[in-house]
Amino acid sequence: MEHLEKLLKRLDCQVLQGNTDIEITELVYDSRKVVPGCLFVCIKGTAVDGHIFIREAAEKGAAAVLVQEKVEAPEHLTVIRVEDTRYGLALVSCAWFHHPAEELKVIGITGTKGKTTTTYMVKSILESAGYKTGLIGTIEAIIGDKVIPADNTTPESYIVQKYFRQMVEEGCRCVVMEVSSQGLMMHRTAGFTFEIGIFTNIEPDHIGPGEHSSFEEYMSCKGLLFRQCRTGIVNIDDKHWKQVLSGHTCTLETFGFSEQADLRAVDTQLVKRPGCLGVSYTAEGLVNAQVEVDVPGRFSIYNSLTAIAVCRHFEVGTEDMKQALKEAKVKGRIEMVQVSEEFTLMIDYAHNAMSLESLLTTLKEYKPVRLVCLFGCGGNRSKLRRYEMGEVSGRLADLTVITSDNPRFEEPQDIIDDIKTGMAKTSGKYVEIPDRKEAIRYVIANGQPGDIIVLAGKGHEDYQEIKGKKYPMDERVLIQEILHE
């Protein structure tokens, strides 16, 4: 139970009818979960508008509603109006869970690529230095020993605050979270101050119906984080960083390869061992150290530099950082799976042309005898993505194995045919094997010494979505079954 006036204390609102001197039993933003005595927040979604359920909420016993437009409501119901109910939900959620972020150091990471890997690297370093750290990200939320699979990159504000409160109760001192542009735009992280905000990079992505209307809007949404944090840590090599940071209110630090960066990487080397690819470099500036990471490529240097830049603020020793970076692993992000001493096999989430191009270009630098790329594309998504991914793999891989991803409500063969349209623009060799397990069996059985084989697109996902139903399918399990068979 919480007093309504206390919940509204930090919110700019107007009481349209009723009394705020009442006790609230529960905070609810889904009309199906309304209980007697609750405060029901009417969220205007893309598909459903919560305002149409006010009468139903009143009949179920709601004590008060939070609205953003004029509504008709039974006179016994308290009606509070705010400019934006998503923002209202965020602030009321902070109060409902007694402002848990004020008891934590919250680190927020935004950018097109690198968010997930960087969150795990930061968590790995902080935990090795003795800071119990929670995590909220694309794959999962981690609270102590509890792991909760994620629905969105950044959960709804009520869930964020609920997780923060559970983290405080678990004894966490820090939390590292991915902050999506959608999350910022929808106020899911409103109502508290981040200790550190990080900008990894930005590329035109997430632009289209139901997402961002333009690249400019996408950049300005990312930039909101830097009006809500104490310290901003920014990739100076990204050509858009000044635009993204426009109007920032935090102190700034930069990282990258540039000589102007406060923390920079020099003397980079590729590291190649049987079944393992990595990088080493020298960090200079704010931290001076020799660093090695068992993840390949230039972006791996960026991710580890970011982690070092963050953890420096927590007075973590250089040796602790170096050790933790070697041990940080992320499910489905360039995840090496040992199947042979002769070739390298990895699982990666690359599921659009930009991330696939970045990955394959990186792997080519390791001079494989053959670069083999297995992937499919999701159904009921842009056809353009299929053409582009087909073209990228045809151009960069020595062999492409086209298979199924999440066909959803489409026929897998139709999706494969679209990918082949993109492939046709190149002279790349390909085979098509619609059954994903059979496709993986094919690449393992035909692996040659010196090959690098990538299973792209599924990454951390452990299901396949067909005709509205999710079926269990984890590539790690498929590989073990294939080896066993």
Side-chain angles (χ1 to χ4, degrees):
M1 298 273 274
E2 285 295 334
H3 202 264
L4 181 56
E5 279 180 4
K6 195 174 161 193
L7 294 178
L8 302 174
K9 196 171 169 189
R10 298 187 187 182
L11 191 58
D12 189 7
C13 60
Q14 182 189 1
V15 181
L16 297 183
Q17 72 175 47
N19 182 8
T20 57
D21 187 13
I22 53 173
E23 292 294 322
I24 295 295
T25 57
E26 194 58 71
L27 176 57
V28 178
Y29 54 96
D30 178 338
S31 60
R32 294 165 297 188
K33 295 180 180 171
V34 166
V35 293
C38 73
L39 167 61
F40 172 51
V41 182
C42 302
I43 300 287
K44 218 175 162 76
T46 41
V48 181
D49 182 355
H51 292 78
I52 65 174
F53 298 110
I54 287 176
R55 196 159 289 280
E56 186 190 311
E59 283 163 9
K60 287 183 181 171
V65 291
L66 194 67
V67 300
Q68 66 181 44
E69 13 185 90
K70 271 192 131 156
V71 293
E72 283 186 22
E75 53 197 43
H76 68 273
L77 194 66
T78 297
V79 180
I80 302 121
R81 187 173 178 183
V82 291
E83 197 172 319
D84 184 325
T85 47
R86 282 191 185 278
Y87 184 75
L89 175 63
L91 267 69
V92 172
S93 297
C94 291
W96 180 260
F97 291 104
H98 303 160
H99 304 283
E102 291 172 11
E103 300 172 61
L104 293 160
K105 297 231 181 276
V106 186
I107 300 153
I109 304 181
T110 200
T112 308
K113 292 184 300 208
K115 295 190 294 291
T116 303
T117 306
T118 308
T119 51
Y120 284 86
M121 283 181 167
V122 169
K123 179 175 161 66
S124 177
I125 295 174
L126 290 178
E127 299 235 298
S128 72
Y131 292 91
K132 193 165 184 182
T133 303
L135 180 144
I136 301 175
T138 305
I139 301 175
E140 60 204 0
I142 304 173
I143 304 167
D145 298 326
K146 193 163 71 170
V147 174
I148 307 157
D151 289 330
N152 299 325
T153 300
T154 309
E156 194 50 81
S157 56
Y158 175 89
I159 306 289
V160 169
Q161 296 303 322
K162 180 180 166 184
Y163 287 169
F164 283 177
R165 175 46 61 200
Q166 289 172 353
M167 287 172 187
V168 170
E169 285 164 6
E170 279 289 327
C172 291
R173 293 161 66 191
C174 307
V175 52
V176 56
M177 67 181 292
E178 293 183 52
V179 184
S180 67
S181 50
Q182 290 284 88
L184 287 159
M185 185 167 81
M186 294 177 169
H187 307 299
R188 289 179 187 155
T189 54
F192 65 92
T193 303
F194 288 89
E195 188 66 26
I196 294 175
I198 293 151
F199 168 65
T200 60
N201 52 59
I202 195 158
E203 308 244 2
D205 194 19
H206 302 293
I207 294 157
E211 293 193 277
H212 297 288
S213 59
S214 66
F215 185 45
E216 284 62 36
E217 183 191 285
Y218 180 47
M219 284 196 287
S220 82
C221 285
K222 292 273 184 221
L224 294 171
L225 178 59
F226 303 96
R227 299 174 197 188
Q228 200 189 327
C229 66
R230 294 188 176 91
T231 302
I233 296 177
V234 181
N235 176 0
I236 196 174
D237 297 342
D238 189 281
K239 62 177 183 279
H240 300 291
W241 79 269
K242 284 186 176 164
Q243 267 172 287
V244 171
L245 271 286
S246 168
H248 73 87
T249 54
C250 55
T251 56
L252 281 189
E253 287 177 13
T254 58
F255 66 90
F257 289 91
S258 163
E259 285 180 9
Q260 274 76 53
D262 300 322
L263 176 65
R264 50 197 175 271
V266 297
D267 302 330
T268 60
Q269 312 272 314
L270 302 182
V271 177
K272 192 175 179 182
R273 290 187 290 277
C276 176
L277 306 172
V279 283
S280 70
Y281 65 93
T282 305
E284 284 185 356
L286 295 173
V287 173
N288 293 291
Q290 199 51 45
V291 183
E292 187 171 311
V293 189
D294 288 342
V295 185
R298 193 177 170 90
F299 49 83
S300 174
I301 298 173
Y302 279 120
N303 295 343
S304 55
L305 271 181
T306 315
I308 291 168
V310 171
C311 295
R312 187 184 76 83
H313 287 269
F314 293 84
E315 290 164 8
V316 180
T318 309
E319 289 310 309
D320 279 344
M321 283 196 209
K322 286 165 64 171
Q323 190 53 39
L325 282 172
K326 275 202 73 65
E327 290 162 11
K329 296 277 178 284
V330 189
K331 188 179 178 187
R333 298 299 200 274
I334 314 192
E335 179 186 347
M336 308 280 172
V337 183
Q338 191 69 41
V339 294
S340 163
E341 283 291 314
E342 298 201 309
F343 59 82
T344 305
L345 179 88
M346 66 183 71
I347 294 172
D348 190 78
Y349 188 51
H351 62 290
N352 58 30
M354 183 176 66
S355 52
L356 190 64
E357 175 140 14
S358 168
L359 176 65
L360 297 181
T361 305
T362 292
L363 296 175
K364 277 180 97 68
E365 290 172 8
Y366 288 81
K367 303 204 169 13
V369 171
R370 290 189 313 168
L371 178 55
V372 179
C373 177
L374 175 152
F375 79 97
C377 286
N380 303 103
R381 297 289 187 270
S382 161
K383 284 194 171 211
L384 189 62
R385 177 177 285 190
R386 301 168 195 177
Y387 306 147
E388 289 173 346
M389 285 183 76
E391 192 175 339
V392 165
S393 190
R395 181 162 43 83
L396 294 172
D398 298 295
L399 174 66
T400 300
V401 179
I402 309 172
T403 186
S404 211
D405 193 294
N406 291 322
R408 300 190 176 91
F409 289 95
E410 286 192 68
E411 287 305 318
Q413 191 60 48
D414 293 345
I415 300 171
I416 288 171
D417 290 342
D418 284 338
I419 295 170
K420 280 156 57 181
T421 302
M423 290 281 317
K425 293 183 179 176
T426 72
S427 56
K429 289 194 198 123
Y430 70 89
V431 293
E432 55 181 289
I433 306 173
D435 182 301
R436 198 165 182 112
K437 183 175 179 178
E438 290 312 310
I440 295 170
R441 191 192 306 278
Y442 174 86
V443 294
I444 292 175
N446 292 285
Q448 297 174 14
D451 280 357
I452 295 178
I453 301 170
V454 183
L455 314 183
K458 294 295 289 172
H460 59 276
E461 291 178 358
D462 56 5
Y463 62 85
Q464 191 170 32
E465 200 180 321
I466 303 169
K467 302 271 191 274
K469 199 172 165 201
K470 287 185 175 179
Y471 297 89
M473 190 187 81
D474 185 325
E475 289 187 321
R476 293 147 208 80
V477 175
L478 296 184
I479 291 166
Q480 291 317 312
E481 286 174 359
I482 290 161
L483 295 176
H484 185 67
E485 287 160 15

